[in-house]
Amino acid sequence: MAVFLLAREIETKLWQGQGERRRLKSMKAAIPAASSPARNGCFRVLGVDPASAGPTGYGIIESDGRHCRMLQYGALKVAPKRQKECLGAVLQDVHALLCRLMDEFSPDALAVESVFTALNMRTALRLAEVRGVVLLAAAQRGIAVHSYSPREVKASVAGYGQADKKQMQLMVRALLEMNETPEPSDAADALAVALCHLQAEQARQRFGLPGKSAGAKLPSRSFAAKAAVRRGSATQNILTRIVISR
């Protein structure tokens, strides 16, 4: 009796799907949650780099345990005129932006950079206000928040706690296999914060360490062993650079 062995069909995850080849130029053109690619167990993180005066960077990445890709990144910059007209304009716009991103992409966790203690009192207070709005938006959506210091982020992503912004941009580009350097630097910092959390979460699960919160689990296989962009293979990630001003 002949025995026929049926080869199982392996579904290949194509990051460059037809629906993802379009370059998005505005927030309205961003991929909504309903039409975004199926997650298939991927762990998704929203990284935020709050700023007291400059743009607030944000970046959304996800990992399947082997590969990590960028979904969207950008920076929110509120026009000086609007800031003069409304005292809480920055806080209002940051809150609205984060709520919109969380509704569209449904991240499993939010990673935010902590307040730098070396700042002067006035700048630190302004930064704390923006950071408070970030925490509020996450709490309203029931998303776990993880905080990392600038030194932790740089050491995790670049391997050096004193890395400058240019080094961070290059390392973020390499780890995410992007074909362009993320701009502005605030957006690259936000992507770095998200990468830092992914690596920290993976280490906690690998060594059985207690987590900070009972959030979704990260796939077990490593994704952060890449230190340079793969040569000879073209990657066409969605490169979304958004600067919003009102």
PDB file of all heavy atoms in Angstrom, residues 188-221:
ATOM      1  N   ALA A 188      13.773  58.278  16.559  1.00  0.00           N
ATOM      2  CA  ALA A 188      14.736  57.184  16.720  1.00  0.00           C
ATOM      3  C   ALA A 188      14.891  56.800  18.191  1.00  0.00           C
ATOM      4  O   ALA A 188      15.019  55.618  18.528  1.00  0.00           O
ATOM      5  CB  ALA A 188      16.080  57.584  16.130  1.00  0.00           C
ATOM      6  N   ASP A 189      14.866  57.797  19.064  1.00  0.00           N
ATOM      7  CA  ASP A 189      14.952  57.514  20.504  1.00  0.00           C
ATOM      8  C   ASP A 189      13.740  56.724  20.983  1.00  0.00           C
ATOM      9  O   ASP A 189      13.858  55.833  21.835  1.00  0.00           O
ATOM     10  CB  ASP A 189      15.064  58.826  21.290  1.00  0.00           C
ATOM     11  CG  ASP A 189      16.403  59.511  21.071  1.00  0.00           C
ATOM     12  OD1 ASP A 189      17.350  58.838  20.625  1.00  0.00           O
ATOM     13  OD2 ASP A 189      16.509  60.717  21.346  1.00  0.00           O
ATOM     14  N   ALA A 190      12.575  57.046  20.448  1.00  0.00           N
ATOM     15  CA  ALA A 190      11.366  56.318  20.830  1.00  0.00           C
ATOM     16  C   ALA A 190      11.436  54.865  20.370  1.00  0.00           C
ATOM     17  O   ALA A 190      11.053  53.941  21.102  1.00  0.00           O
ATOM     18  CB  ALA A 190      10.132  57.001  20.240  1.00  0.00           C
ATOM     19  N   LEU A 191      11.929  54.634  19.165  1.00  0.00           N
ATOM     20  CA  LEU A 191      12.111  53.272  18.681  1.00  0.00           C
ATOM     21  C   LEU A 191      13.126  52.524  19.541  1.00  0.00           C
ATOM     22  O   LEU A 191      12.969  51.326  19.803  1.00  0.00           O
ATOM     23  CB  LEU A 191      12.570  53.290  17.221  1.00  0.00           C
ATOM     24  CG  LEU A 191      11.536  53.752  16.184  1.00  0.00           C
ATOM     25  CD1 LEU A 191      12.191  53.912  14.820  1.00  0.00           C
ATOM     26  CD2 LEU A 191      10.374  52.777  16.094  1.00  0.00           C
ATOM     27  N   ALA A 192      14.160  53.244  19.989  1.00  0.00           N
ATOM     28  CA  ALA A 192      15.172  52.624  20.849  1.00  0.00           C
ATOM     29  C   ALA A 192      14.580  52.212  22.195  1.00  0.00           C
ATOM     30  O   ALA A 192      14.922  51.158  22.740  1.00  0.00           O
ATOM     31  CB  ALA A 192      16.339  53.589  21.056  1.00  0.00           C
ATOM     32  N   VAL A 193      13.692  53.030  22.732  1.00  0.00           N
ATOM     33  CA  VAL A 193      13.036  52.688  24.000  1.00  0.00           C
ATOM     34  C   VAL A 193      12.198  51.424  23.832  1.00  0.00           C
ATOM     35  O   VAL A 193      12.196  50.531  24.691  1.00  0.00           O
ATOM     36  CB  VAL A 193      12.158  53.855  24.487  1.00  0.00           C
ATOM     37  CG1 VAL A 193      11.391  53.463  25.741  1.00  0.00           C
ATOM     38  CG2 VAL A 193      13.016  55.082  24.776  1.00  0.00           C
ATOM     39  N   ALA A 194      11.483  51.326  22.704  1.00  0.00           N
ATOM     40  CA  ALA A 194      10.680  50.131  22.442  1.00  0.00           C
ATOM     41  C   ALA A 194      11.568  48.898  22.294  1.00  0.00           C
ATOM     42  O   ALA A 194      11.252  47.817  22.809  1.00  0.00           O
ATOM     43  CB  ALA A 194       9.836  50.342  21.186  1.00  0.00           C
ATOM     44  N   LEU A 195      12.705  49.042  21.604  1.00  0.00           N
ATOM     45  CA  LEU A 195      13.648  47.928  21.458  1.00  0.00           C
ATOM     46  C   LEU A 195      14.214  47.502  22.810  1.00  0.00           C
ATOM     47  O   LEU A 195      14.392  46.315  23.081  1.00  0.00           O
ATOM     48  CB  LEU A 195      14.782  48.326  20.523  1.00  0.00           C
ATOM     49  CG  LEU A 195      14.481  48.295  19.024  1.00  0.00           C
ATOM     50  CD1 LEU A 195      15.602  48.977  18.243  1.00  0.00           C
ATOM     51  CD2 LEU A 195      14.300  46.865  18.544  1.00  0.00           C
ATOM     52  N   CYS A 196      14.491  48.480  23.644  1.00  0.00           N
ATOM     53  CA  CYS A 196      15.016  48.193  24.984  1.00  0.00           C
ATOM     54  C   CYS A 196      14.035  47.333  25.769  1.00  0.00           C
ATOM     55  O   CYS A 196      14.429  46.368  26.437  1.00  0.00           O
ATOM     56  CB  CYS A 196      15.309  49.500  25.716  1.00  0.00           C
ATOM     57  SG  CYS A 196      15.895  49.298  27.414  1.00  0.00           S
ATOM     58  N   HIS A 197      12.755  47.664  25.679  1.00  0.00           N
ATOM     59  CA  HIS A 197      11.771  46.869  26.418  1.00  0.00           C
ATOM     60  C   HIS A 197      11.644  45.461  25.848  1.00  0.00           C
ATOM     61  O   HIS A 197      11.504  44.486  26.600  1.00  0.00           O
ATOM     62  CB  HIS A 197      10.407  47.552  26.401  1.00  0.00           C
ATOM     63  CG  HIS A 197       9.332  46.723  27.031  1.00  0.00           C
ATOM     64  ND1 HIS A 197       9.347  46.381  28.369  1.00  0.00           N
ATOM     65  CD2 HIS A 197       8.224  46.118  26.497  1.00  0.00           C
ATOM     66  CE1 HIS A 197       8.306  45.624  28.645  1.00  0.00           C
ATOM     67  NE2 HIS A 197       7.619  45.446  27.533  1.00  0.00           N
ATOM     68  N   LEU A 198      11.681  45.328  24.527  1.00  0.00           N
ATOM     69  CA  LEU A 198      11.599  44.004  23.932  1.00  0.00           C
ATOM     70  C   LEU A 198      12.753  43.115  24.405  1.00  0.00           C
ATOM     71  O   LEU A 198      12.557  41.947  24.746  1.00  0.00           O
ATOM     72  CB  LEU A 198      11.622  44.110  22.412  1.00  0.00           C
ATOM     73  CG  LEU A 198      10.305  44.498  21.725  1.00  0.00           C
ATOM     74  CD1 LEU A 198      10.523  44.654  20.231  1.00  0.00           C
ATOM     75  CD2 LEU A 198       9.228  43.468  21.990  1.00  0.00           C
ATOM     76  N   GLN A 199      13.952  43.679  24.455  1.00  0.00           N
ATOM     77  CA  GLN A 199      15.105  42.904  24.900  1.00  0.00           C
ATOM     78  C   GLN A 199      15.004  42.569  26.383  1.00  0.00           C
ATOM     79  O   GLN A 199      15.325  41.450  26.806  1.00  0.00           O
ATOM     80  CB  GLN A 199      16.388  43.683  24.611  1.00  0.00           C
ATOM     81  CG  GLN A 199      16.654  43.873  23.128  1.00  0.00           C
ATOM     82  CD  GLN A 199      17.965  44.572  22.846  1.00  0.00           C
ATOM     83  OE1 GLN A 199      18.806  44.708  23.734  1.00  0.00           O
ATOM     84  NE2 GLN A 199      18.151  45.013  21.624  1.00  0.00           N
ATOM     85  N   ALA A 200      14.536  43.519  27.184  1.00  0.00           N
ATOM     86  CA  ALA A 200      14.395  43.275  28.616  1.00  0.00           C
ATOM     87  C   ALA A 200      13.331  42.217  28.883  1.00  0.00           C
ATOM     88  O   ALA A 200      13.512  41.330  29.735  1.00  0.00           O
ATOM     89  CB  ALA A 200      14.049  44.577  29.338  1.00  0.00           C
ATOM     90  N   GLU A 201      12.226  42.277  28.166  1.00  0.00           N
ATOM     91  CA  GLU A 201      11.151  41.305  28.342  1.00  0.00           C
ATOM     92  C   GLU A 201      11.602  39.913  27.909  1.00  0.00           C
ATOM     93  O   GLU A 201      11.278  38.912  28.556  1.00  0.00           O
ATOM     94  CB  GLU A 201       9.922  41.739  27.531  1.00  0.00           C
ATOM     95  CG  GLU A 201       8.689  40.899  27.760  1.00  0.00           C
ATOM     96  CD  GLU A 201       8.153  41.021  29.175  1.00  0.00           C
ATOM     97  OE1 GLU A 201       8.427  42.035  29.831  1.00  0.00           O
ATOM     98  OE2 GLU A 201       7.454  40.084  29.610  1.00  0.00           O
ATOM     99  N   GLN A 202      12.351  39.852  26.842  1.00  0.00           N
ATOM    100  CA  GLN A 202      12.851  38.562  26.368  1.00  0.00           C
ATOM    101  C   GLN A 202      13.825  37.956  27.376  1.00  0.00           C
ATOM    102  O   GLN A 202      13.793  36.750  27.639  1.00  0.00           O
ATOM    103  CB  GLN A 202      13.537  38.731  25.018  1.00  0.00           C
ATOM    104  CG  GLN A 202      13.926  37.404  24.379  1.00  0.00           C
ATOM    105  CD  GLN A 202      14.533  37.605  23.021  1.00  0.00           C
ATOM    106  OE1 GLN A 202      15.536  38.305  22.897  1.00  0.00           O
ATOM    107  NE2 GLN A 202      13.953  37.003  22.004  1.00  0.00           N
ATOM    108  N   ALA A 203      14.680  38.781  27.969  1.00  0.00           N
ATOM    109  CA  ALA A 203      15.627  38.291  28.969  1.00  0.00           C
ATOM    110  C   ALA A 203      14.905  37.787  30.215  1.00  0.00           C
ATOM    111  O   ALA A 203      15.282  36.764  30.794  1.00  0.00           O
ATOM    112  CB  ALA A 203      16.618  39.398  29.331  1.00  0.00           C
ATOM    113  N   ARG A 204      13.857  38.497  30.625  1.00  0.00           N
ATOM    114  CA  ARG A 204      13.100  38.069  31.799  1.00  0.00           C
ATOM    115  C   ARG A 204      12.449  36.707  31.573  1.00  0.00           C
ATOM    116  O   ARG A 204      12.448  35.844  32.452  1.00  0.00           O
ATOM    117  CB  ARG A 204      12.039  39.118  32.160  1.00  0.00           C
ATOM    118  CG  ARG A 204      12.586  40.323  32.903  1.00  0.00           C
ATOM    119  CD  ARG A 204      11.454  41.125  33.522  1.00  0.00           C
ATOM    120  NE  ARG A 204      10.646  41.788  32.516  1.00  0.00           N
ATOM    121  CZ  ARG A 204      10.861  43.023  32.084  1.00  0.00           C
ATOM    122  NH1 ARG A 204      11.871  43.716  32.577  1.00  0.00           N
ATOM    123  NH2 ARG A 204      10.073  43.576  31.184  1.00  0.00           N
ATOM    124  N   GLN A 205      11.906  36.518  30.389  1.00  0.00           N
ATOM    125  CA  GLN A 205      11.247  35.246  30.112  1.00  0.00           C
ATOM    126  C   GLN A 205      12.259  34.123  29.908  1.00  0.00           C
ATOM    127  O   GLN A 205      12.012  32.972  30.284  1.00  0.00           O
ATOM    128  CB  GLN A 205      10.351  35.385  28.883  1.00  0.00           C
ATOM    129  CG  GLN A 205       9.181  36.337  29.103  1.00  0.00           C
ATOM    130  CD  GLN A 205       8.247  36.390  27.916  1.00  0.00           C
ATOM    131  OE1 GLN A 205       8.271  35.516  27.060  1.00  0.00           O
ATOM    132  NE2 GLN A 205       7.419  37.424  27.854  1.00  0.00           N
ATOM    133  N   ARG A 206      13.403  34.426  29.324  1.00  0.00           N
ATOM    134  CA  ARG A 206      14.403  33.395  29.074  1.00  0.00           C
ATOM    135  C   ARG A 206      14.979  32.852  30.371  1.00  0.00           C
ATOM    136  O   ARG A 206      15.220  31.648  30.505  1.00  0.00           O
ATOM    137  CB  ARG A 206      15.519  33.959  28.199  1.00  0.00           C
ATOM    138  CG  ARG A 206      16.648  32.975  27.919  1.00  0.00           C
ATOM    139  CD  ARG A 206      17.704  33.600  27.050  1.00  0.00           C
ATOM    140  NE  ARG A 206      17.167  34.012  25.759  1.00  0.00           N
ATOM    141  CZ  ARG A 206      17.870  34.672  24.845  1.00  0.00           C
ATOM    142  NH1 ARG A 206      19.129  35.019  25.103  1.00  0.00           N
ATOM    143  NH2 ARG A 206      17.321  35.005  23.698  1.00  0.00           N
ATOM    144  N   PHE A 207      15.225  33.732  31.336  1.00  0.00           N
ATOM    145  CA  PHE A 207      15.846  33.321  32.588  1.00  0.00           C
ATOM    146  C   PHE A 207      14.832  33.144  33.723  1.00  0.00           C
ATOM    147  O   PHE A 207      15.218  32.947  34.871  1.00  0.00           O
ATOM    148  CB  PHE A 207      16.913  34.330  33.002  1.00  0.00           C
ATOM    149  CG  PHE A 207      18.053  34.431  32.018  1.00  0.00           C
ATOM    150  CD1 PHE A 207      18.146  35.518  31.168  1.00  0.00           C
ATOM    151  CD2 PHE A 207      19.011  33.434  31.930  1.00  0.00           C
ATOM    152  CE1 PHE A 207      19.189  35.618  30.249  1.00  0.00           C
ATOM    153  CE2 PHE A 207      20.050  33.524  31.019  1.00  0.00           C
ATOM    154  CZ  PHE A 207      20.144  34.615  30.164  1.00  0.00           C
ATOM    155  N   GLY A 208      13.560  33.250  33.397  1.00  0.00           N
ATOM    156  CA  GLY A 208      12.534  33.013  34.400  1.00  0.00           C
ATOM    157  C   GLY A 208      12.474  34.071  35.475  1.00  0.00           C
ATOM    158  O   GLY A 208      12.090  33.785  36.614  1.00  0.00           O
ATOM    159  N   LEU A 209      12.830  35.290  35.133  1.00  0.00           N
ATOM    160  CA  LEU A 209      12.801  36.371  36.110  1.00  0.00           C
ATOM    161  C   LEU A 209      11.388  36.909  36.246  1.00  0.00           C
ATOM    162  O   LEU A 209      10.606  36.886  35.287  1.00  0.00           O
ATOM    163  CB  LEU A 209      13.749  37.499  35.681  1.00  0.00           C
ATOM    164  CG  LEU A 209      15.217  37.106  35.510  1.00  0.00           C
ATOM    165  CD1 LEU A 209      16.015  38.287  34.995  1.00  0.00           C
ATOM    166  CD2 LEU A 209      15.791  36.604  36.819  1.00  0.00           C
ATOM    167  N   PRO A 210      11.023  37.407  37.413  1.00  0.00           N
ATOM    168  CA  PRO A 210       9.675  37.963  37.585  1.00  0.00           C
ATOM    169  C   PRO A 210       9.506  39.220  36.758  1.00  0.00           C
ATOM    170  O   PRO A 210      10.384  40.092  36.736  1.00  0.00           O
ATOM    171  CB  PRO A 210       9.596  38.264  39.089  1.00  0.00           C
ATOM    172  CG  PRO A 210      11.017  38.410  39.518  1.00  0.00           C
ATOM    173  CD  PRO A 210      11.815  37.469  38.664  1.00  0.00           C
ATOM    174  N   GLY A 211       8.390  39.321  36.065  1.00  0.00           N
ATOM    175  CA  GLY A 211       8.129  40.487  35.243  1.00  0.00           C
ATOM    176  C   GLY A 211       7.562  41.627  36.056  1.00  0.00           C
ATOM    177  O   GLY A 211       7.091  41.450  37.182  1.00  0.00           O
ATOM    178  N   LYS A 212       7.601  42.820  35.481  1.00  0.00           N
ATOM    179  CA  LYS A 212       7.069  43.999  36.162  1.00  0.00           C
ATOM    180  C   LYS A 212       5.555  44.015  36.154  1.00  0.00           C
ATOM    181  O   LYS A 212       4.926  44.631  36.993  1.00  0.00           O
ATOM    182  CB  LYS A 212       7.611  45.277  35.501  1.00  0.00           C
ATOM    183  CG  LYS A 212       9.119  45.433  35.645  1.00  0.00           C
ATOM    184  CD  LYS A 212       9.575  46.728  35.003  1.00  0.00           C
ATOM    185  CE  LYS A 212      11.083  46.922  35.155  1.00  0.00           C
ATOM    186  NZ  LYS A 212      11.541  48.176  34.522  1.00  0.00           N
ATOM    187  N   SER A 213       4.971  43.355  35.157  1.00  0.00           N
ATOM    188  CA  SER A 213       3.516  43.312  35.059  1.00  0.00           C
ATOM    189  C   SER A 213       3.121  42.074  34.294  1.00  0.00           C
ATOM    190  O   SER A 213       3.907  41.492  33.573  1.00  0.00           O
ATOM    191  CB  SER A 213       2.970  44.572  34.352  1.00  0.00           C
ATOM    192  OG  SER A 213       3.469  44.629  33.030  1.00  0.00           O
ATOM    193  N   ALA A 214       1.867  41.663  34.458  1.00  0.00           N
ATOM    194  CA  ALA A 214       1.387  40.449  33.791  1.00  0.00           C
ATOM    195  C   ALA A 214       0.842  40.800  32.427  1.00  0.00           C
ATOM    196  O   ALA A 214      -0.360  40.763  32.176  1.00  0.00           O
ATOM    197  CB  ALA A 214       0.314  39.773  34.635  1.00  0.00           C
ATOM    198  N   GLY A 215       1.720  41.170  31.523  1.00  0.00           N
ATOM    199  CA  GLY A 215       1.303  41.522  30.181  1.00  0.00           C
ATOM    200  C   GLY A 215       1.430  40.342  29.246  1.00  0.00           C
ATOM    201  O   GLY A 215       1.641  39.203  29.653  1.00  0.00           O
ATOM    202  N   ALA A 216       1.299  40.595  27.949  1.00  0.00           N
ATOM    203  CA  ALA A 216       1.438  39.533  26.967  1.00  0.00           C
ATOM    204  C   ALA A 216       2.876  39.044  26.925  1.00  0.00           C
ATOM    205  O   ALA A 216       3.808  39.778  27.243  1.00  0.00           O
ATOM    206  CB  ALA A 216       1.012  40.055  25.580  1.00  0.00           C
ATOM    207  N   LYS A 217       3.060  37.786  26.549  1.00  0.00           N
ATOM    208  CA  LYS A 217       4.389  37.192  26.533  1.00  0.00           C
ATOM    209  C   LYS A 217       5.048  37.389  25.183  1.00  0.00           C
ATOM    210  O   LYS A 217       4.425  37.298  24.140  1.00  0.00           O
ATOM    211  CB  LYS A 217       4.311  35.702  26.860  1.00  0.00           C
ATOM    212  CG  LYS A 217       3.915  35.437  28.302  1.00  0.00           C
ATOM    213  CD  LYS A 217       3.993  33.956  28.601  1.00  0.00           C
ATOM    214  CE  LYS A 217       3.671  33.694  30.066  1.00  0.00           C
ATOM    215  NZ  LYS A 217       3.744  32.254  30.389  1.00  0.00           N
ATOM    216  N   LEU A 218       6.349  37.627  25.233  1.00  0.00           N
ATOM    217  CA  LEU A 218       7.136  37.796  24.030  1.00  0.00           C
ATOM    218  C   LEU A 218       7.525  36.434  23.489  1.00  0.00           C
ATOM    219  O   LEU A 218       7.852  35.537  24.254  1.00  0.00           O
ATOM    220  CB  LEU A 218       8.391  38.602  24.366  1.00  0.00           C
ATOM    221  CG  LEU A 218       9.319  38.977  23.216  1.00  0.00           C
ATOM    222  CD1 LEU A 218       8.623  40.007  22.342  1.00  0.00           C
ATOM    223  CD2 LEU A 218      10.614  39.545  23.745  1.00  0.00           C
ATOM    224  N   PRO A 219       7.499  36.215  22.169  1.00  0.00           N
ATOM    225  CA  PRO A 219       7.974  34.961  21.603  1.00  0.00           C
ATOM    226  C   PRO A 219       9.391  34.667  22.054  1.00  0.00           C
ATOM    227  O   PRO A 219      10.185  35.571  22.276  1.00  0.00           O
ATOM    228  CB  PRO A 219       7.902  35.214  20.084  1.00  0.00           C
ATOM    229  CG  PRO A 219       6.836  36.228  19.936  1.00  0.00           C
ATOM    230  CD  PRO A 219       6.933  37.111  21.155  1.00  0.00           C
ATOM    231  N   SER A 220       9.725  33.384  22.177  1.00  0.00           N
ATOM    232  CA  SER A 220      10.940  32.974  22.865  1.00  0.00           C
ATOM    233  C   SER A 220      12.211  33.174  22.069  1.00  0.00           C
ATOM    234  O   SER A 220      13.280  33.324  22.636  1.00  0.00           O
ATOM    235  CB  SER A 220      10.835  31.491  23.245  1.00  0.00           C
ATOM    236  OG  SER A 220      10.636  30.708  22.087  1.00  0.00           O
ATOM    237  N   ARG A 221      12.167  33.131  20.761  1.00  0.00           N
ATOM    238  CA  ARG A 221      13.398  33.183  19.986  1.00  0.00           C
ATOM    239  C   ARG A 221      13.942  34.596  19.910  1.00  0.00           C
ATOM    240  O   ARG A 221      13.228  35.571  19.941  1.00  0.00           O
ATOM    241  CB  ARG A 221      13.163  32.621  18.580  1.00  0.00           C
ATOM    242  CG  ARG A 221      12.691  31.180  18.607  1.00  0.00           C
ATOM    243  CD  ARG A 221      12.633  30.591  17.236  1.00  0.00           C
ATOM    244  NE  ARG A 221      13.966  30.508  16.635  1.00  0.00           N
ATOM    245  CZ  ARG A 221      14.186  29.960  15.448  1.00  0.00           C
ATOM    246  NH1 ARG A 221      13.184  29.470  14.756  1.00  0.00           N
ATOM    247  NH2 ARG A 221      15.392  29.922  14.957  1.00  0.00           N
TER     248      ARG A 221
END
